[in-house]
Amino acid sequence: MPKIGDIQLPDFPLLLAPMEDVSDPPFRALCKEQGADVVYTEFISSEGLIRDAAKSVMKLDIYEKERPVGIQIFGANLDSMLRSVEIVEKSNPDIIDINFGCPVKKVVSKGAGAGILKDIDLMVKLTDAMVKHTNLPITVKTRLGWDADSIKIVEVAERLQDVGCAAIAIHGRTRVQMYKGDADWAPIAQVKNNQRMHIPVFGNGDVNTPEAAVKMRDEYGLDGAMIGRASIGYPWFFNEVKHFIETGEHKAPPTMQERVEAARRHLQMAIDWKGEKLGVFETRRHYTNYFKGIPDFKEYRMKMVTSDESPDVFATFDAVLDKFGDYQFS
Ligand SMILES: Cc1cc2nc3c(=O)[nH]c(=O)nc-3n(C[C@H](O)[C@H](O)[C@H](O)COP(=O)(O)O)c2cc1C
């Protein structure tokens, strides 16, 4: 069974992917309750952290109930990354993860995120220095390569392992692909099949059905699945995958009561964490998925995503239960 440093994980663990503006403490808590074995924060700028930018620092908040939790940081400057490691350590996470995969221009143009895939020596150097700078396990999340002509992920993963990286999660796309096309898990399987690899190799990209997770395990032989988009507004996905792995059968989807309860708790946790205004505002993006596919729901969805006061949102949840309590999800 895979281990990240001393953290023992179950067979084929499911990891909640780091997602900007999504993987915050309330969402991570819900995913954890629903079976995520490891959760990650969204990426946090090392430059922001060392400037003490309030927005970056707030992203360091973690709660006991979510452990094991990894804090993900990004950057391309050695000194800033090392100073960030010291700042991150104060939040006492279980893992520090390095983002070497973010494809967005503003990150890549500074040589960070997936930008570093153009400078593998620097990628290895940063990882090496960070491993030496902390006793926490350092993990890496990356992509297959910069573009289809420069995929060297087998060699890259081996070099990262050799400098002490404790686990690697690989998104089966290149930077150039961004999110287009299908994720290709075959190169990730090559990383795993490298006889010299002994750290866990987690697959990422398009695990959006329980069957896909089983395929990643059985046909590609990977050590676990990192799940992103399939969990947005649907934390039950982790449990559904686990249920399918254990029984070969699909778990019934959550009832309306369970969905309303999750939405309520999500909103309350968000308010407790970041205050009424931000809590109300930032939880909005999750409701669409919590209540997907219900006919004649538009009026309620609009109320949820336009109300500025939490009592109005909670009242809408009550109204949803009154009107749609018996709705059968398929
Ligand atoms: C809204 C959103 C935000 C993301 N933010 C991050 C991030 O902060 N750090 C990171 O490493 N990847 C980030 N990703 C990429 C995901 O972690 C993951 O690699 C990608 O979505 C593919 O997995 P999936 O098909 O399961 O979603 C983000 C993806 C989405 C959709």
Side-chain angles (χ1 to χ4, degrees), residues 178-323:
M178 305 294 281
Y179 287 89
K180 289 192 224 87
D182 294 329
D184 183 2
W185 300 341
I188 315 176
Q190 285 170 16
V191 172
K192 176 65 195 165
N193 291 335
N194 174 0
Q195 296 293 316
R196 285 205 63 243
M197 282 309 272
H198 54 79
I199 59 170
V201 178
F202 300 122
N204 172 241
D206 301 348
V207 178
N208 42 29
T209 58
E211 284 84 349
V214 168
K215 192 171 176 184
M216 188 174 257
R217 183 188 68 170
D218 296 347
E219 291 180 30
Y220 291 82
L222 303 185
D223 292 309
M226 180 178 269
I227 292 164
R229 288 166 294 179
S231 69
I232 300 180
Y234 201 79
W236 301 278
F237 187 67
F238 295 96
N239 226 332
E240 290 183 358
V241 171
K242 292 211 156 166
H243 183 85
F244 187 75
I245 287 177
E246 278 159 27
T247 65
E249 288 180 8
H250 285 276
K251 198 170 188 303
T255 61
M256 185 58 92
Q257 282 75 10
E258 288 169 309
R259 287 167 200 251
V260 168
E261 185 54 21
R264 259 196 203 122
R265 292 195 44 236
H266 197 150
L267 177 57
Q268 191 57 57
M269 284 192 279
I271 293 169
D272 293 345
W273 177 52
K274 47 191 159 190
E276 165 82 13
K277 200 169 168 208
L278 271 182
V280 168
F281 182 72
E282 292 188 0
T283 313
R284 286 177 179 167
R285 64 175 66 94
H286 293 267
Y287 301 139
T288 304
N289 275 10
Y290 281 145
F291 302 106
K292 207 176 189 162
I294 307 165
D296 303 323
F297 197 77
K298 194 167 167 209
E299 174 196 339
Y300 295 85
R301 182 176 299 117
M302 284 309 289
K303 273 194 192 146
M304 284 177 199
V305 301
T306 53
S307 300
D308 291 329
E309 313 279 338
S310 64
D312 296 337
V313 186
F314 285 120
T316 307
F317 294 153
D318 291 339
V320 165
L321 260 192
D322 276 349
K323 179 149 169 82

Side-chain angles (χ1 to χ4, degrees), residues 90-165:
K90 292 189 189 126
S91 291
N92 197 21
D94 302 284
I95 297 163
I96 298 179
D97 187 68
I98 320 175
N99 178 318
F100 287 144
C102 177
V104 306
K105 231 183 197 155
K106 69 170 194 260
V107 173
V108 168
S109 62
K110 297 195 179 105
I116 208 147
L117 289 165
K118 284 185 160 175
D119 188 350
I120 304 300
D121 287 342
L122 178 61
M123 184 179 188
V124 174
K125 188 174 149 191
L126 286 179
T127 308
D128 184 25
M130 289 169 70
V131 168
K132 290 190 174 116
H133 206 63
T134 178
N135 290 324
L136 290 170
I138 294 283
T139 59
V140 161
K141 177 166 179 280
T142 188
R143 289 185 172 231
L144 298 179
W146 179 261
D147 60 17
D149 297 328
S150 62
I151 295 179
K152 295 190 209 102
I153 190 65
V154 174
E155 177 198 325
V156 169
E158 195 177 309
R159 289 182 65 187
L160 293 172
Q161 171 182 272
D162 287 350
V163 296
C165 171

